[in-house]
Amino acid sequence: MLNVRRLLLLAEVAERGSLTAAAEALSMTTSAASQQMSLLEREAGQPLIERLPRGVRTTAAGAALAERGRTIRRELQAAEADLEAFGHLDRGVVTLGSFPTASASLLPLALTRFRRAHPQVRTVVRAGVLAQLREMLHTGEVELSLLWDYDWNRIDDDQLILTPLLEDPTVLVVPTSSPLVASDRVRLSDLAEQEWIIRAENHPVADVLRRACHQAGFEPRIAYASHDYQEAQAMVAAGLGLVLAPRLALTNRRSDVRLLPLSHNHSPGAAPPARRILLATPAQRAATPAAQTMARVLHAVARGFTDPGLDRSQLGAVRKR
């Protein structure tokens, strides 16, 4: 295989008509350039330049190879420009995985901030359930992903680097007319006689309700199985029952329901469950500059959802920072 550096030298020689000028352009000595040209001619099996009283000129074979050298030089320059652009986030693509409640709360703010700062970088989002998002990380379909877990189903995957973004507390959703609205704190153990609205189709939040109620000492009485959080809120507003839900899932809160914090019961095991929102990246692949920047934006946005000063009427409201 022909030596690329020698082809680049030949292209300079053809353009400048002089070994000395080509050597200077490439920061070489004239003797080193002459030696490299001799080696290239040996690789090519024929003369590539003719030495004249003043300077040199290429043979027909040399001219053909010099044109190839110019093409290679252009491609190398383009590759360097691409790397420079990626390093400064002037172009490229960042691929991100997400799940519905994050896509309705954290992600829009993060995407807006990122695209405002880096308009030339294309953002692609892939949505899925937890298993699908992990598989996309493993296969490289996404560079980073938002994930979640609870203390009883912690993600244990040595192929992923997991960084906590925030704790997403479980809140109680009640009608605005409920007497519970006047309470400073609500204990789950005091709600044993209530009817409950649960998420359908073995949704993870259904498991949260059952576990939390069992820890509080009762079996929840299910009045309705909803398919999304807006539907669940509507049933709460209609007085059909109460809902336990992650706070992030309720960023689009109806005006006829209220979100109440849950108090810790006397037993530590009956504390209201909270889920971790995590940012995951593959352990074996280096993050691109775009992915690194997106990660920083997500961390900054997440801080806006952990403000301890949020009162009960603001729980679930998107805070723009």
Side-chain angles (χ1 to χ4, degrees), residues 250-263:
L250 302 164
T251 51
N252 296 315
R253 178 174 61 81
R254 292 172 58 103
S255 61
D256 48 7
V257 301
R258 291 291 181 267
L259 312 183
L260 307 181
L262 285 164
S263 175

Side-chain angles (χ1 to χ4, degrees), residues 64-202:
L65 277 185
E67 183 59 34
R68 297 289 187 184
R70 282 189 283 269
T71 299
I72 292 171
R73 185 176 62 196
R74 285 194 296 270
E75 289 299 318
L76 289 173
Q77 289 170 342
E80 290 174 351
D82 282 346
L83 289 176
E84 181 72 13
F86 281 119
H88 291 86
L89 291 177
D90 293 330
R91 67 177 72 173
V93 179
V94 58
T95 55
L96 174 67
S98 185
F99 56 96
T101 53
S103 297
S105 54
L106 288 171
L107 195 55
L109 289 177
L111 291 176
T112 299
R113 290 189 189 185
F114 182 87
R115 297 179 75 173
R116 186 183 298 129
H118 310 290
Q120 300 305 313
V121 180
R122 181 170 170 246
T123 50
V124 176
V125 179
R126 298 280 185 260
V129 297
L130 191 60
Q132 292 170 330
L133 294 172
R134 290 174 65 176
E135 182 64 19
M136 284 189 270
L137 284 163
H138 293 157
T139 61
E141 185 176 347
V142 298
E143 297 176 80
L144 65 168
S145 182
L146 294 164
L147 304 178
W148 58 267
D149 66 10
Y150 286 94
D151 58 4
W152 61 82
N153 68 342
R154 292 298 191 213
I155 297 172
D156 183 13
D157 191 334
D158 59 8
Q159 296 182 54
L160 301 178
I161 297 173
L162 302 173
T163 307
L165 285 178
L166 60 90
E167 287 282 320
D168 187 16
T170 297
V171 295
L172 181 68
V173 186
V174 304
T176 54
S177 59
S178 172
L180 294 170
V181 172
S183 303
D184 291 332
R185 281 280 174 176
V186 179
R187 294 192 307 172
L188 196 57
S189 58
D190 294 334
L191 304 176
E193 300 304 315
Q194 297 286 337
E195 299 280 347
W196 293 91
I197 296 164
I198 201 167
R199 287 299 303 270
E201 299 172 348
N202 295 317

Side-chain angles (χ1 to χ4, degrees), residues 185-239:
R185 281 280 174 176
V186 179
R187 294 192 307 172
L188 196 57
S189 58
D190 294 334
L191 304 176
E193 300 304 315
Q194 297 286 337
E195 299 280 347
W196 293 91
I197 296 164
I198 201 167
R199 287 299 303 270
E201 299 172 348
N202 295 317
H203 191 278
V205 172
D207 191 30
V208 173
L209 174 65
R210 291 193 175 96
R211 286 175 176 271
C213 291
H214 291 167
Q215 288 176 344
F218 67 93
E219 182 70 29
R221 297 187 301 182
I222 308 303
Y224 188 78
S226 70
H227 290 82
D228 60 55
Y229 289 107
Q230 284 301 107
E231 180 188 14
Q233 289 185 65
M235 294 301 102
V236 170

Side-chain angles (χ1 to χ4, degrees), residues 22-97:
E24 289 178 357
L26 297 176
S27 301
M28 302 171 63
T29 64
T30 302
S31 61
S34 179
Q35 182 182 30
Q36 291 299 309
M37 283 304 307
S38 297
L39 290 172
L40 181 60
E41 288 179 321
R42 189 179 306 168
E43 290 173 348
Q46 57 187 300
L48 300 176
I49 60 174
E50 296 176 357
R51 286 166 174 78
L52 305 173
R54 291 186 177 181
V56 297
R57 68 184 178 194
T58 57
T59 64
L65 277 185
E67 183 59 34
R68 297 289 187 184
R70 282 189 283 269
T71 299
I72 292 171
R73 185 176 62 196
R74 285 194 296 270
E75 289 299 318
L76 289 173
Q77 289 170 342
E80 290 174 351
D82 282 346
L83 289 176
E84 181 72 13
F86 281 119
H88 291 86
L89 291 177
D90 293 330
R91 67 177 72 173
V93 179
V94 58
T95 55
L96 174 67

